[in-house]
């Protein structure tokens, strides 16, 4: 008798503490099992509260499969060939709080399969082959807070399907084949915070669809076939934080569509064939951090599109093949913007003041557009700008001041532009050569024309290689010695200098002084050489001629003359073939002048002698 009792006690002890060979058990009561077994393992520890059966060969759950799990609270049976579940399979575990049946092959379930799970809070039946949801499943699941039925074959929903699920705060119906949401289908879900209906076949939304979801924080409707939405559809969602309605078939939005959304942080509208945006579209969104609007058919955008997004940090307005114009003040009210992406649009021109208010911008991406030129000072106010992507445009040349004005620049891209390597590109080439470490694609910033320089890097260009007649030379100095007013030196806009024995083009410089008292100018200032073949001299009658000019010409010979209150200056290098020719010509002219003077004196003396003789007679 004693031996029988001891034997039964040993069996009970073994049953209560053992762990099946195909499982891993923890002292806290978690059991994970996987392998080539076909039934739920028996003799699990009595204190087991969590069971995970993953990647097994279980195909059926019978009414006795879970008998040995009297205390289990969370059951996960995933990634199995499970197809059939007995209507009473979960009767032995009425205390379940969480049931996960994801990634199986379930195509049908009994109407009463969840009938005894009144305590269930989480139900995951995603990634199966279900073609419908039965209202009877949820009759007793009044405590359910999370339901995931995504990645099935659902084609429709009954209007009252969620009527009993008043505590539900998470609902995922994504990646199904729903073409319509019945009016009022979510009306009882007054505590819903996350609603995911992405990647279905929805074509239209009713104005009543989200009327009761005042607590909703996340709404994802992307990748459907929605072609129009009713006005004020989102107005009841005053607590919404994330809204994605991208990848649909929307051609326009009604006015004030996105009003009454003060808590929104992410708004995605991209991949819609939008052709027009109304002026009154975006309401007050101070918490919006990221806005994405790409792959549309927009030609331009409203001037005030971003006015209410004062907290915006990232803006993506790109991949719009027809977008060729941006209003001047489009970025006026984005003081916190750090990253701006405008790549792959159809932009041909950017207003010089387009970025003037983006004081915190650090990354600017405008590559792959059709830009031909940029204003010299377009980036001058962007003191924190560290990265600029300019590749893939139509630039033939750029003034170096466009880049040199970017004081915080750490990275710039310039490749895939049709750079014209003539003498005018020497300014940019010099900047690239001196800032090679900043040009991330230096080796690929290549000449496009002329053909004999094809694939040569722009940074390697110099005056000798380009056969330019004008290159670098120490500048001529002009000093003031008598006036207390500040002179202004006016020249044309494209500068060059001389080097070696090459002669500069004639340079015209006008020197003025203002009539009002200004601080004394420095004793000398650099003179910028400028060709008169491109720009004409500007003249302002409000200035008076600056009378005293001291020329420090060494080692060059400096010529000057005055005409109509202007000083005309040009320089002649002291050596070189052209220089020697001009000097020889000057000597010849001087000699001829001297000979003419001597001849004149002789003729004068002869005439005077003849006159005296005539008078004597």
């Amino acid at each position: 008798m004693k031996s029988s009792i001891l034997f039964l006690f040993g069996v009970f002890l073994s049953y209560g503490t053992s762990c099946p060979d195909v499982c891993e058990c923890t002292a806290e009561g978690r059991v994970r099992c996987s392998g080539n077994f076909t039934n739920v393992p028996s003799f699990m520890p009595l204190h087991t509260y969590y069971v995970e059966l993953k990647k097994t060969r279980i195909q059926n759950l019978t009414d006795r499969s879970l008998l040995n799990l009297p205390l289990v609270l969370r059951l996960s049976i995933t990634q199995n060939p499970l197809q059939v579940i007995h209507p009473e399979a979960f009767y032995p575990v009425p205390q379940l709080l969480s049931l996960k049946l994801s990634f199986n092959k379930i195509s049908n379930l009994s109407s009463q399969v969840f009938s005894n799970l009144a305590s269930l809070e989480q139900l995951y039946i995603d990634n199966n082959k279900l073609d419908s949801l039965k209202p009877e499943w949820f009759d007793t699941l009044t405590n359910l807070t999370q339901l995931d039925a995504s990645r099935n074959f659902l084609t429709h929903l009954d209007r009252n399907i969620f009527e009993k699920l008043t505590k539900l705060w998470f609902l995922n119906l994504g990646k199904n084949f729903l073409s319509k949401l019945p009016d009022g289908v979510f009306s009882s879900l007054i505590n819903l915070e996350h609603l995911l209906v992405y990647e279905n076949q929805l074509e239209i939304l009713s104005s009543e669809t989200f009327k009761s979801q005042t607590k909703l924080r996340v709404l994802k409707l992307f990748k459907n076939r929605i072609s129009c939405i009713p006005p004020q559809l989102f107005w009841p969602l005053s607590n919404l934080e994330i809204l994605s309605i991208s990848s649909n078939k929307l051609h326009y939005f009604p006015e004030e569509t996105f009003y009454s959304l003060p808590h929104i942080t992410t708004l995605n509208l991209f991949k819609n064939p939008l052709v027009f945006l109304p002026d009154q579209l975006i309401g007050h969104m101070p918490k919006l951090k990221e806005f994405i609007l790409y792959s549309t058919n927009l030609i331009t955008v409203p001037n005030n599109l971003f006015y209410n997004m004062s907290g915006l940090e990232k803006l993506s307005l790109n991949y719009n093949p027809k977008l060729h114009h941006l209003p001047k003040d489009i970025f006026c009210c984005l003081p916190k913007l750090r990253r701006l992406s405008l790549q792959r649009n159809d932009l041909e021109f950017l207003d010089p003041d387009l970025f003037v208010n983006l004081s915190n911008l650090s990354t600017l991406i405008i590559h792959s557009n059709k830009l031909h030129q940029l204003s010299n000072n377009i980036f001058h106010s962007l003191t924190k700008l560290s990265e600029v992507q300019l590749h893939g445009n139509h630039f033939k040349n750029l003034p170096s001041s466009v880049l040199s004005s970017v004081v915080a620049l750490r990275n710039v891209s310039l490749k895939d532009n049709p750079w014209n390597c003539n003498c005018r590109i020497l300014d940019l080439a010099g900047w690239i050569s001196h800032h090679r470490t900043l040009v991330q694609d230096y080796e690929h910033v290549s000449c496009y024309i002329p053909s004999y320089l094809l694939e040569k890097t722009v940074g390697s260009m110099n005056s000798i290689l380009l056969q330019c007649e004008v290159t670098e030379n120490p500048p001529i100095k002009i000093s003031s010695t008598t006036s207390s007013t500040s002179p202004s030196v006016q020249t044309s806009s494209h500068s060059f200098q001389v080097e070696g024995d090459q002669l500069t083009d004639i340079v015209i410089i006008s020197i003025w002084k203002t009539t009002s008292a200004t601080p004394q100018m420095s004793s000398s200032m650099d003179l910028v050489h400028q060709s008169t073949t491109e720009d004409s001299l500007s003249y302002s009658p409000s200035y008076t001629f600056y009378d005293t000019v001291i020329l420090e010409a060494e080692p060059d010979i400096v010529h000057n003359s005055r005409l109509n209150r202007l000083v005309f200056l040009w320089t002649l290098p002291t050596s070189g073939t052209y220089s020697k020719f001009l000097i020889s010509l000057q000597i010849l002219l001087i000699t001829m002048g001297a000979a003419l003077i001597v001849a004149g004196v002789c003729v004068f003396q002869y005439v005077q002698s003849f006159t005296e003789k005539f008078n004597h007679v």
Side-chain angles (χ1 to χ4, degrees), residues 262-285:
H263 298 291
I264 199 160
T265 60
T266 302
L267 177 61
N268 295 336
L269 309 177
F270 58 84
K271 285 193 175 181
N272 279 289
L274 296 167
V275 296
F276 169 77
L277 294 178
D279 289 337
Q280 307 301 322
L281 178 64
I282 306 292
H284 185 52
M285 294 183 178

Side-chain angles (χ1 to χ4, degrees), residues 583-596:
I583 292 175
S584 299
L585 180 61
Q586 186 177 18
I587 293 173
L588 177 62
L589 292 174
I590 292 173
T591 302
M592 291 177 63
L596 289 174

